[in-house]
Amino acid sequence: MMTSSVFLRLRTWYIAPMSNRIPLAARILKVNHAGEHGAVSIYAGQILMARLTAKGLVAQLESFKSHEERHRAIFLAELTGRGVRRCRSYWLCAIGGYGLGVLTGLLGARAIAQTTVAVERVVLRHLQQQMVQLKDDAEALAAIVAIIGEEQEHHDLAAGHVKAGGPLARLLETTVSAATESVIWLGMRI
C-alpha cells in the first residue's frame, strides 16, 4: 500500500530514534536548546496574560524569561560549535509553550507559579541526570552547569507563591509535568 510506504518513510525520517544517528551529547544539547525555547515561550505567554491577571508577577516573569533566553543562547552556541542543527521539536516547544503560558496566565498567579514549579522540577531532574551522562564531555557539562542555578532559582521563587492546592491545582501540576516529560522524551527521539 502506498499509505504504509509513505508512513514508513515519514517514521524513518522524523520519528526514528536519533540514537543511531546522533551522539548522546548532541541529542541532549538539542533537546535542552528546544526546551529553553519552550520556556521563553511559556514566559512570553504568561507575561502577556499576567499584565491582566497577576501584575505583581510581571517583573519576575520578565527576569525568568531573560534567563531562559540566555540559556537558549548557551545551548545554541554549543550546537553551532559542534555543527549540529537544532532539534525538530524546536517549534513544537515554542507553540506548546506559548499556549501553556497564555492558558496558565489567564488562570492567574497561582497557576503561573504552579506551572513554573512543575516545569522546573522536571527540568532540574533531567539536568541532574544529564550531568552524570555527560561527565566525559566538558563543554556540554559546562553548558548545563551554567544554567542549573537559575533553573533552581525559578523553581524556588515560584514555589514561594504556591500554597497547598485542591484537585484542580494537582491536576494542573500533573498535566504540566507530564507534558514536559513527553516533550523531552519526544525530543530525544526525533
Side-chain angles (χ1 to χ4, degrees):
M1 293 256 151
M2 185 174 168
T3 306
S4 61
S5 169
V6 170
F7 176 74
L8 183 59
R9 273 189 253 147
L10 178 63
R11 182 184 180 282
T12 303
W13 173 79
Y14 195 74
I15 302 174
M18 280 199 285
S19 59
N20 300 335
R21 301 174 285 161
I22 299 174
L24 178 62
R27 283 186 288 149
I28 287 172
L29 293 167
K30 286 170 72 118
V31 169
N32 288 359
H33 175 249
E36 296 299 336
H37 189 55
V40 168
S41 299
I42 290 170
Y43 289 125
Q46 287 179 336
I47 289 165
L48 179 70
M49 293 298 111
R51 288 185 188 346
L52 303 171
T53 64
K55 290 179 182 161
L57 286 181
V58 171
Q60 184 178 59
L61 294 171
E62 287 173 341
S63 173
F64 288 0
K65 182 176 175 271
S66 72
H67 293 164
E68 302 296 357
E69 289 168 340
R70 189 176 66 77
H71 301 171
R72 181 180 59 192
I74 289 169
F75 289 120
L76 179 59
E78 273 303 304
L79 292 176
T80 302
R82 294 166 189 254
V84 176
R85 293 170 49 168
R86 71 176 175 223
C87 189
R88 290 182 180 147
S89 69
Y90 186 81
W91 292 112
L92 173 66
C93 290
I95 294 165
Y98 192 77
L100 178 64
V102 167
L103 176 64
T104 58
L106 279 171
L107 296 173
R110 186 183 223 175
I112 290 169
Q114 287 172 317
T115 300
T116 300
V117 169
V119 169
E120 296 296 5
R121 184 181 306 126
V122 171
V123 167
L124 287 164
R125 187 175 63 252
H126 279 277
L127 292 175
Q128 293 293 336
Q129 293 168 348
Q130 291 170 4
M131 289 174 64
V132 172
Q133 293 172 307
L134 298 174
K135 66 183 182 298
D136 296 330
D137 188 325
E139 292 84 10
L141 188 58
I144 291 169
V145 168
I147 73 160
I148 204 163
E150 287 176 337
E151 300 291 4
Q152 185 69 55
E153 177 187 356
H154 298 175
H155 174 276
D156 296 347
L157 288 172
H161 297 287
V162 176
K163 299 191 174 30
L168 289 178
R170 286 191 298 277
L171 177 63
L172 176 63
E173 280 195 51
T174 301
T175 303
V176 170
S177 293
T180 305
E181 288 285 359
S182 297
V183 168
I184 292 169
W185 179 87
L186 180 64
M188 288 298 288
R189 281 155 183 78
I190 60 173

